[in-house]
Amino acid sequence: MNDSSVDDTSDRHGLRAQKLRTAAAVVVAVVAVAAAVLALSRGDVENPPVSEAEFPSELDVVTTTVQTSGPIHTPAWSADARSAYGREFAAFRSPAAGLMFDSGAYGVVDGGDVLVAAMGLPNPRSYSLDDVELVGIDVSDGAVKWSASPGGIDSCASRPARGELLCLDPYSDAPAVVAVSVADGAIRRIPLPDGWFPFAIESDGDSVYILEGNPEDSESVLHGGTVDALADAWSLPIESFAPWEGVEGTLIHVDDERGVVTLGGEAEFFETGTGAAVGDLELRSETSVVDTGSGDEVWQLRDPYATEISVGQTRYAQSGDSITAADIGTGDIEWTWPLPTGSDGFPASGSIVEAESGVYFLDSDSIVQLERT
């Protein structure tokens, strides 16, 4: 633990001020464009010399093509940010990304028959997302089932835990985990143990994992356990160094009773049940976890803000002014969906995500169900 920075309230607020100053100077742009390249090939036929009598009257040329276009697609439904929020200039954001300083990331938390999104008013002067609300979108028709005002939350776990979305409120005088019911938006606050200064949160559907401390002093700690018994959670020191401006993106990944913290370019693996450190695993790229003994990839970390994903035998990709669905085996385009024009007058740019209920396109203005499962 970092006794020098989090033991008392004044030190915690000093650390808060340091992070606020640093984060306010950083603009995080999460915009990516994925390109899908399809080839058109023509086979050349070579013939040996033949006499005039043997020369065929017609020469058959074999041509191989790949389908490069498809029918225009009609999505199942679309939810509009301004209508859902009730204010002009309102925008959707990912609950799992930085909300206090507006990361600009587009995503949702999959709650089964409900998708939970964050909404607010982007403030370009302070790089913040003002008046944040959470909203539950009905996956059957895109209607708003509920909306809730969670207060000054910064980020949420990427999946619910026991039916609640768990979010961090680290900056208030009484730091807490804010638990929001996925079913109806009901809110409750769970106080954080004294001395914790959290900056990342994740869930595996049952337990919660909170990273807190001061990465600039290489003194962070990961805690894991049930949200209603945080004082009894296990603890794992994380000694990676990272400046506050480098503390961004998804820092905690969990899957199949294992987890990894990616901080400051380093990876610390752990058992989700006990917090015990795990050896023989290495992060070889931003997403590929490899068994160091066999060299085999054993885990592919999920990118929640992808512009291209594969679901079954279909690859969904955003390129230019459209999204295409293509057969992975043949490369043939199954359909094309022209992207709507954004509030800036250009084709929308956002994320493509898979949820239990279907495949979605997400941007600042809308949540669109491209296909149902």
Side-chain angles (χ1 to χ4, degrees):
M1 257 329 264
N2 178 11
D3 296 333
S4 65
S5 63
V6 296
D7 277 349
D8 55 58
T9 302
S10 62
D11 287 340
R12 178 168 57 79
H13 282 290
L15 189 57
R16 165 193 172 185
Q18 180 186 16
K19 184 179 179 184
L20 288 172
R21 288 193 299 269
T22 302
V26 178
V27 182
V28 180
V30 185
V31 177
V33 177
V37 180
L38 299 175
L40 176 64
S41 63
R42 180 183 179 94
D44 294 325
V45 179
E46 295 184 359
N47 295 298
V50 295
S51 67
E52 183 176 348
E54 295 174 324
F55 199 88
S57 59
E58 292 182 1
L59 181 64
D60 294 328
V61 178
V62 178
T63 301
T64 303
T65 63
V66 174
Q67 180 185 343
T68 58
S69 63
I72 299 300
H73 181 61
T74 301
W77 54 257
S78 177
D80 179 73
R82 292 165 180 79
S83 298
Y85 192 86
R87 290 274 301 275
E88 194 174 359
F89 307 116
F92 283 125
R93 292 292 187 265
S94 170
L99 295 173
M100 187 70 70
F101 301 107
D102 193 8
S103 69
Y106 312 122
V108 291
V109 173
D110 185 5
D113 59 357
V114 174
L115 299 178
V116 183
M119 304 184 297
L121 302 172
N123 188 333
R125 291 187 296 272
S126 60
Y127 308 120
S128 63
L129 188 68
D130 296 341
D131 300 325
V132 171
E133 291 190 3
L134 297 175
V135 60
I137 304 292
D138 192 322
V139 299
S140 66
D141 58 9
V144 175
K145 294 188 68 172
W146 55 261
S147 62
S149 300
I153 61 172
D154 188 31
S155 62
C156 307
S158 69
R159 70 188 79 175
R162 303 183 183 185
E164 293 180 309
L165 177 62
L166 304 180
C167 307
L168 288 176
D169 177 7
Y171 301 124
S172 68
D173 291 335
V177 171
V178 178
V180 183
S181 170
V182 171
D184 58 15
I187 294 176
R188 65 190 186 103
R189 293 178 62 89
I190 301 99
L192 289 168
D194 291 341
W196 284 22
F197 184 78
F199 56 91
I201 186 170
E202 186 54 285
S203 169
D204 60 5
D206 184 62
S207 297
V208 64
Y209 306 93
I210 297 175
L211 186 61
E212 59 92 12
N214 186 355
E216 287 195 338
D217 288 340
S218 301
E219 293 181 336
S220 301
V221 180
L222 179 70
H223 304 279
T226 60
V227 70
D228 290 306
L230 294 177
D232 299 324
W234 53 253
S235 300
L236 175 67
I238 305 294
E239 298 179 353
S240 303
F241 166 82
W244 280 117
E245 60 266 27
V247 178
E248 59 190 30
T250 304
L251 300 180
I252 308 171
H253 308 257
V254 291
D255 182 69
D256 194 24
E257 300 183 351
R258 60 192 172 187
V260 59
V261 173
T262 53
L263 182 65
E266 300 182 27
E268 182 75 33
F269 293 90
F270 61 93
E271 295 179 358
T272 57
T274 65
V278 175
D280 302 325
L281 294 178
E282 182 180 1
L283 189 61
R284 293 268 175 95
S285 69
E286 290 185 359
T287 59
S288 180
V289 177
V290 174
D291 184 305
T292 56
S294 65
D296 295 334
E297 181 181 85
V298 296
W299 187 7
Q300 186 74 24
L301 303 186
R302 185 176 66 93
D303 178 4
Y305 312 115
T307 56
E308 181 177 325
I309 65 171
S310 296
V311 181
Q313 292 301 307
T314 302
R315 183 179 300 278
Y316 302 88
Q318 177 178 343
S319 178
D321 59 359
S322 65
I323 289 178
T324 57
D327 184 282
I328 292 176
T330 66
D332 286 347
I333 303 297
E334 298 173 359
W335 53 252
T336 297
W337 179 56
L339 287 163
T341 301
S343 56
D344 57 3
F346 294 95
S349 179
S351 304
I352 305 173
V353 303
E354 178 189 10
E356 180 182 333
S357 54
V359 178
Y360 295 85
F361 171 74
L362 317 167
D363 74 333
S364 182
D365 297 327
S366 60
I367 298 173
V368 180
Q369 188 182 67
L370 297 174
E371 287 195 330
R372 304 181 191 273
T373 53

